[in-house]
Amino acid sequence: MTGTPARRRRAGELESAIRVAVLDELHERGYPGLTFEGVARRAGTSKPVLYRRYPTRAAMAIDAFVSSRVATPPADFAGPLREDLVALISGMLMRVGADGVATFRGVIGEVDDATVARVGALVMSQVEGWLGGILDRAREAGELGPTPAPARVVRAIVALMRNEVLFVFGAGQAPDVEGIVDDVIVPLLRATTASPR
Amino acid sequence: MTGTPARRRRAGELESAIRVAVLDELHERGYPGLTFEGVARRAGTSKPVLYRRYPTRAAMAIDAFVSSRVATPPADFAGPLREDLVALISGMLMRVGADGVATFRGVIGEVDDATVARVGALVMSQVEGWLGGILDRAREAGELGPTPAPARVVRAIVALMRNEVLFVFGAGQAPDVEGIVDDVIVPLLRATTASPR
DNA sequence: GGCGATAAGGTACGGTACGTATCGTATCTA
DNA sequence: TAGATACGATACGTACCGTACCTTATCGCC
């Protein structure tokens, strides 16, 4: 051994250091530059310690990102439908952030199909719940028709949000949240929640 | 030199061999397993030859894929709107294929923002044109209202298709083309092409 | 037909990261 | 206090990167 007399970290101290190191590396080098060796160096530990925890760098990145987000709703969702939707989508873009988008894109590029589905759901499941709440409130307030929106419509809205995250916000362009809500999402919801003809 | 007396390929023969090798490697090892060395080995050439043509493996994969697709419309689009939409989306899923989806996911994970936008458009621009044709015909046939669908609506439909490619078809699940067309796309088009209120 | 420019073909190199094996020992548990 | 655990550290063989270098087939031109 050289230099330091091998001080050892206990409890979650090591895990925390690893997660911080992963996030820092992602921020500085991006997902393609994320390596086991780099994380080990930055966290002041060694590769075997990382391999004991994560089978792949994708798993490492996912864990670090999930742990770093606390799932608080972006607003209380009492306003008009349109405002709630804008707040939900904007809040999600902010929460994911530029690093998150880049990491998301990198991860789905190198994991198996099942993990793609899992990660896709992971990013969106929370949002899907909030969206359901927004729609329920809007229906009770008479902003939408009495028929609940079909599941496919809800999933389509989530898909639009995901697209906005990955290919608009994530491609350096300004996301057009209000336009999409007004021109696409609200009309779609009105049309699919009208009372049966 | 060893063995072979260095027969040299002319015209597009070398380029063809490289593209075939790239597609084969993508099929066998997937995008994460695509390497300059592997392609060089398989194409019977050497790394410098590849580096003279492509700066990154992403560029290599994109070129091979683009060259391998001929852009013929999946049908003649004269039927009812619903059938045209189903044919368009199903045709696109078939055209892209499993290798294409995996490659697409891998590429967008490691290229810069501008290339993400470019590749996203590349996969979809053709489709967007066909979609416009379908909508024009449907409007003239009276299947849709007189107002042309807003650009954002058209883009949203493309986004739904992209989502289906990446996260449903590409996650090993059976794509639900008819359900999405009937429950989401057609109602959305009806609602946004109605004559002004 | 010979002659120079171009670029294919081939080899080799230093560098980085992978994934695993091994070892000593600090720390926790009983 | 004894044993189990797993951190910290090092080292190894392999794979691939990206580039430099050299030889020589092929093409365009005079």
Side-chain angles (χ1 to χ4, degrees), chain A residues 22 26 30-36 51 54-62 102-119, chain B residues 26 29-34 57 101-111 166-167 170:
Chain A
V22 170
L26 281 173
Y31 185 78
L34 182 73
T35 69
F36 278 89
Y51 278 105
Y54 307 110
T56 63
R57 60 196 206 113
M60 201 159 64
I62 292 171
T103 303
F104 185 37
R105 282 205 305 247
V107 165
I108 64 171
E110 64 184 31
V111 298
D112 58 279
D113 285 356
T115 309
V116 169
R118 196 170 64 80
V119 172
Chain B
L26 281 174
R29 317 200 184 226
Y31 186 78
L34 182 74
R57 60 195 206 114
V101 172
T103 303
F104 184 38
R105 282 204 307 246
V107 166
I108 65 171
E110 66 184 32
V111 299
L166 281 179
F167 295 102

Side-chain angles (χ1 to χ4, degrees), chain A residues 31-32 102 104-106 108-114 116-117 120 150 152-153 155-157 159-160 162-163 166-167 169-173 176 179-180 183-184 187-188 191-192, chain B residues 31-32 102 104-106 108-114 116-117 120 150 152-153 155-157 159-160 162-163 166-167 169-173 176 179-180 183-184 187-188 191-192:
Chain A
Y31 185 78
F104 185 37
R105 282 205 305 247
I108 64 171
E110 64 184 31
V111 298
D112 58 279
D113 285 356
V116 169
R152 277 196 263 260
V153 169
R155 259 182 274 133
I157 295 173
L160 289 180
R162 187 151 48 200
N163 184 75
L166 281 179
F167 295 102
F169 178 65
Q173 304 164 37
D176 175 34
I180 291 172
D183 281 9
V184 181
L188 174 62
T192 54
Chain B
Y31 186 78
F104 184 38
R105 282 204 307 246
I108 65 171
E110 66 184 32
V111 299
D112 58 279
D113 285 357
V116 169
R152 277 196 264 260
V153 169
R155 259 182 273 132
I157 294 173
L160 289 179
R162 186 150 49 198
N163 183 76
L166 281 179
F167 295 102
F169 178 64
Q173 304 164 37
D176 175 32
I180 291 172
D183 281 9
V184 181
L188 174 63
T192 54

Side-chain angles (χ1 to χ4, degrees), chain A residues 92-170:
Chain A
M92 200 204 59
L93 292 178
M94 290 206 39
R95 171 192 301 282
V96 174
D99 290 355
V101 172
T103 303
F104 185 37
R105 282 205 305 247
V107 165
I108 64 171
E110 64 184 31
V111 298
D112 58 279
D113 285 356
T115 309
V116 169
R118 196 170 64 80
V119 172
L122 188 147
V123 174
M124 289 294 166
S125 62
Q126 190 76 58
V127 165
E128 203 160 341
W130 291 331
L131 179 58
I134 291 175
L135 296 186
D136 287 344
R137 195 211 56 77
R139 193 176 65 248
E140 281 161 24
E143 291 189 82
L144 293 175
T147 317
R152 277 196 263 260
V153 169
V154 176
R155 259 182 274 133
I157 295 173
V158 173
L160 289 180
M161 295 175 63
R162 187 151 48 200
N163 184 75
E164 203 68 13
V165 169
L166 281 179
F167 295 102
V168 181
F169 178 65

